[in-house]
């Protein structure tokens, strides 16, 4: 009534209010003077824990697209709740609950390093040794952030710790989901035989308990495992089944993943019309959620499709956009994949010195995060690199490869821009 509060545009039907910073500071001083600040901060933390829990439940519902923006708007409040709980909750259960329930939001919006940092702070607390379900939930959630950044060894360790807790608790649904995550991480490290076994175990458990979402989740991973090994016929049927389940569950995020897998498969099979259709469907869904990692991944596959049609300028533009997003979120394995496609373009355009330099940079990135090239792709890449080495000669090849390995990422991005201009201008 005194104009001390200002109403902001509503989000999902919820009014929001703000006040001048000077008024906020004055109010905080008064709360401290009256001895009321700590109870207020506790209520604030518990409120935002409840909001995070509500969001986590909605990720699998028809309203899932609303939540990334709602949490983005409340992100500073959520951070404040995390800071308070770190110092006022000796058991760390509130902090772990916030981390577990916010992990999907952090993953969608690319806050990978931030999520990792919050978990690290909890694990450094003096009383954090007794592992609980809350620990398992946080380990599982943050493992995805770490896996997205390409730190497969750390992600694998967290998955295994979460799995051990879930198995001890007899939580079969959580076991199934964790096995899928473990399969994804394991395949990223190049152990495809183990990855396939893990995803099939996950599917068996999901079928046993009759959980359709867990089945869809496992089927999606089985499809990607099969694709990495070149078993395209099984990939097609499994990903289509996963897509059907996701659509029945009204799970748009799951559908986006299945569409992207089917799009990649179509590129590999040379069905460019199907590839473009599936990939653009996935892209639109990922844009709806603001899924930065997913957008970068689909851009990379779209670039691959353009490359196969010799649309090199469009492919280079998409690869650059994908690399820029992946650089911001710290996903080095994905950057390496994009670089390898860019090097392939340079080779096709008979710029083998540039191709070798870019391949060297990609190899360095992969080595830094223990990221493996898919078995079905390795032979062709080996053939391209062998042709480049023959064309340049061993001495020149090794010199430019080493230059690429030593190039800082920011210089590499500038170099790629020069590469794009040169290839466009002939």
């Amino acid at each position: 009534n005194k104009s001390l509060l200002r109403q902001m545009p509503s989000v999902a039907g919820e009014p929001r209010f703000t006040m001048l910073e000077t008024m906020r500071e004055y109010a905080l001083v008064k709360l401290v003077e009256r001895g009321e600040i700590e109870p207020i901060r506790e209520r604030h933390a518990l409120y935002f824990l409840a909001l995070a829990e509500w969001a986590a439940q909605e990720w699998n519902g028809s309203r899932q697209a609303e939540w990334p923006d709602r949490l983005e708007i409340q992100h500073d409040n959520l951070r404040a709740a995390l800071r308070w709980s770190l110092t006022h909750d000796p058991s760390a259960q509130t902090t772990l609950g916030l981390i577990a329930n916010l992990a999907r939001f952090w993953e969608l919006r690319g806050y990978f390093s931030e999520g990792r940092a919050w978990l690290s702070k909890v694990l450094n607390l003096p009383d954090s040794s007794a592992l609980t379900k809350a620990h398992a939930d946080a380990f599982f959630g943050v493992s995805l952030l770490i896996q997205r950044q390409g730190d497969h060894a750390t992600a694998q360790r967290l998955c295994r710790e979460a799995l051990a807790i879930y198995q001890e608790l007899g939580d079969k649904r959580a076991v199934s989901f964790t096995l899928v995550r473990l399969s994804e991480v394991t395949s990223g490290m190049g152990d495809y035989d183990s990855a396939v076994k893990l995803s099939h175990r996950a599917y068996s458990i999901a079928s046993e308990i009759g959980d359709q979402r867990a089945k869809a989740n496992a089927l999606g991973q089985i499809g990607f495992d099969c694709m990495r090994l070149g078993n395209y016929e099984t990939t097609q049927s499994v990903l289509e089944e996963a897509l059907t389940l996701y659509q029945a569950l009204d799970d748009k995020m799951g559908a986006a993943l299945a569409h992207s897998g089917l799009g990649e498969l179509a590129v590999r099979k040379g069905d460019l019309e199907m590839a473009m259709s599936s990939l653009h469907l996935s892209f639109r869904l990922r844009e709806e959620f603001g899924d930065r990692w997913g957008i970068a991944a689909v851009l990379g596959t779209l670039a691959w499709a353009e490359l196969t049609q010799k649309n090199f300028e469009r492919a280079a533009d998409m690869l650059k956009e994908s690399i820029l997003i992946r650089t911001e979120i710290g996903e080095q394995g994905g950057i390496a994949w994009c670089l390898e496609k860019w090097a392939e373009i340079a080779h096709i355009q008979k710029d083998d010195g540039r191709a070798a330099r870019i391949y060297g940079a990609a190899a360095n990135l992969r080595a830094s995060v223990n990221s493996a090239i898919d078995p079905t792709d390795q032979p062709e890449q080996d053939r391209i690199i062998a042709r480049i080495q023959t064309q340049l000669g061993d001495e020149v090849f090794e010199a430019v490869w080493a230059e690429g390995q030593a190039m800082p990422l920011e210089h590499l991005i500038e170099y790629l821009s020069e590469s794009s201009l040169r290839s466009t201008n002939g």
Side-chain angles (χ1 to χ4, degrees):
N1 291 338
K2 300 296 183 182
S3 301
L4 298 179
L5 293 180
R6 297 178 181 178
Q7 185 166 342
M8 306 292 286
S10 64
V11 179
E14 274 189 4
R16 285 182 51 77
F17 298 89
T18 186
M19 66 175 69
L20 293 174
E21 185 62 23
T22 51
M23 293 304 303
R24 178 179 175 276
E25 291 173 357
Y26 176 77
L28 283 172
V29 168
K30 289 299 178 183
L31 283 172
V32 171
E33 288 177 357
R34 294 167 59 174
E36 295 178 3
I37 189 67
E38 288 309 320
I40 291 290
R41 283 180 171 154
E42 182 178 11
R43 285 167 57 191
H44 177 276
L46 293 175
Y47 173 85
F48 283 99
L49 172 61
L51 182 72
E53 290 172 342
W54 184 15
Q57 292 171 4
E58 293 283 350
W59 288 132
N60 296 324
S62 59
R63 298 174 56 198
Q64 58 185 194
E66 296 176 10
W67 282 95
D69 285 341
R70 292 181 70 174
L71 294 181
E72 189 75 65
I73 289 168
Q74 298 288 8
H75 205 180
D76 283 339
N77 275 314
L78 292 159
R79 288 168 174 143
L82 281 160
R83 285 193 295 271
W84 181 89
S85 62
L86 269 174
T87 55
H88 291 77
D89 178 18
S91 70
Q93 298 302 290
T94 300
T95 317
L96 290 166
L98 281 162
I99 291 169
N101 289 302
L102 291 174
R104 192 64 184 272
F105 161 69
W106 286 330
E107 186 264 332
L108 282 171
R109 292 301 167 90
Y111 295 110
F112 300 158
S113 296
E114 180 170 351
R116 294 185 70 166
W118 285 116
L119 181 62
S120 178
K121 288 174 183 176
V122 173
L123 297 181
N124 287 330
L125 293 173
D127 298 326
S128 65
S129 56
L131 298 182
T132 63
K133 183 180 183 300
H135 283 87
D137 293 342
F139 292 161
F140 175 77
V142 175
S143 70
L144 179 58
L145 311 181
I146 295 172
Q147 186 265 332
R148 289 286 189 252
Q149 288 189 313
D151 184 355
H152 301 297
T154 303
Q156 186 181 63
R157 177 177 57 78
L158 285 180
C159 283
R160 286 174 172 167
E161 290 184 20
L163 183 62
I165 297 169
Y166 289 139
Q167 287 173 329
E168 186 175 346
L169 294 171
D171 189 340
K172 291 186 176 181
R173 186 175 194 271
V175 166
S176 177
F177 276 92
T178 308
L179 286 170
V180 168
R181 179 73 46 76
L182 197 52
S183 172
E184 188 176 359
V185 171
T186 303
S187 66
M189 298 174 73
D191 187 355
Y192 293 92
D193 289 339
S194 295
V196 169
K197 291 175 184 175
L198 289 164
S199 56
H200 278 86
R201 275 180 59 200
Y203 180 75
S204 296
I205 293 169
S207 299
E208 176 192 335
I209 62 177
D211 190 304
Q212 297 298 95
R213 197 174 303 279
K215 281 178 67 175
N217 188 51
L219 284 167
Q221 186 57 35
I222 290 170
F224 277 97
D225 287 341
C226 290
M227 181 156 52
R228 302 290 174 254
L229 293 168
N231 187 349
Y232 295 160
E233 185 175 344
T234 301
T235 300
Q236 183 83 34
S237 61
V238 168
L239 286 179
E240 286 176 351
E241 186 179 353
L243 178 60
T244 299
L245 284 173
Y246 280 129
Q247 289 172 333
L249 294 163
D250 199 19
D251 186 339
K252 291 182 179 180
M253 286 190 286
L257 180 66
H259 280 305
S260 67
L262 288 167
E264 180 184 337
L265 178 64
V267 174
R268 292 177 177 277
K269 294 168 69 175
D271 187 347
L272 277 304
E273 183 177 350
M274 176 60 71
M276 289 300 188
S277 174
S278 296
L279 291 170
H280 282 293
L281 272 171
S282 179
F283 188 85
R284 285 196 295 273
L285 288 169
R286 292 181 187 279
E287 272 198 319
E288 186 178 342
F289 290 96
D291 177 3
R292 301 187 70 213
W293 177 87
I295 288 168
V298 175
L299 280 170
T301 314
L302 282 167
W304 188 7
E306 296 289 354
L307 189 163
T308 65
Q309 298 178 82
K310 302 191 184 307
N311 296 328
F312 300 131
E313 185 176 349
R314 282 181 57 80
D317 287 344
M318 289 177 175
L319 287 171
K320 184 177 180 182
E321 190 175 351
S322 181
I323 287 171
L324 289 173
I325 296 172
R326 284 167 150 152
T327 301
E328 289 171 5
I329 63 181
E331 197 227 336
Q332 298 197 61
I335 296 171
W337 185 92
C338 289
L339 291 177
E340 287 155 1
K341 291 303 175 192
W342 208 312
E344 191 175 332
I345 293 172
H347 169 63
I348 293 169
Q349 296 182 322
K350 303 188 184 306
D351 194 347
D352 284 332
R354 189 172 294 276
R357 196 172 280 109
I358 297 171
Y359 270 130
N364 185 57
L365 278 175
R366 283 198 182 274
S368 70
V369 293
N370 193 23
S371 174
I373 298 170
D374 295 338
T376 191
D377 296 332
Q378 186 75 65
E380 178 60 19
Q381 185 162 310
D382 288 345
R383 284 191 289 270
I384 292 172
I385 292 173
R387 289 198 297 267
I388 293 170
Q389 187 166 3
T390 299
Q391 184 67 28
L392 295 176
D394 292 346
E395 187 175 344
V396 173
F397 174 83
E398 289 172 7
V400 293
W401 183 282
E403 287 175 13
Q405 286 185 307
M407 193 178 292
L409 188 56
E410 60 272 18
H411 295 168
L412 179 61
I413 292 171
E414 293 174 10
Y415 181 74
L416 292 174
S417 297
E418 294 171 9
S419 159
S420 179
L421 288 171
R422 292 180 188 182
S423 66
T424 301
N425 296 329

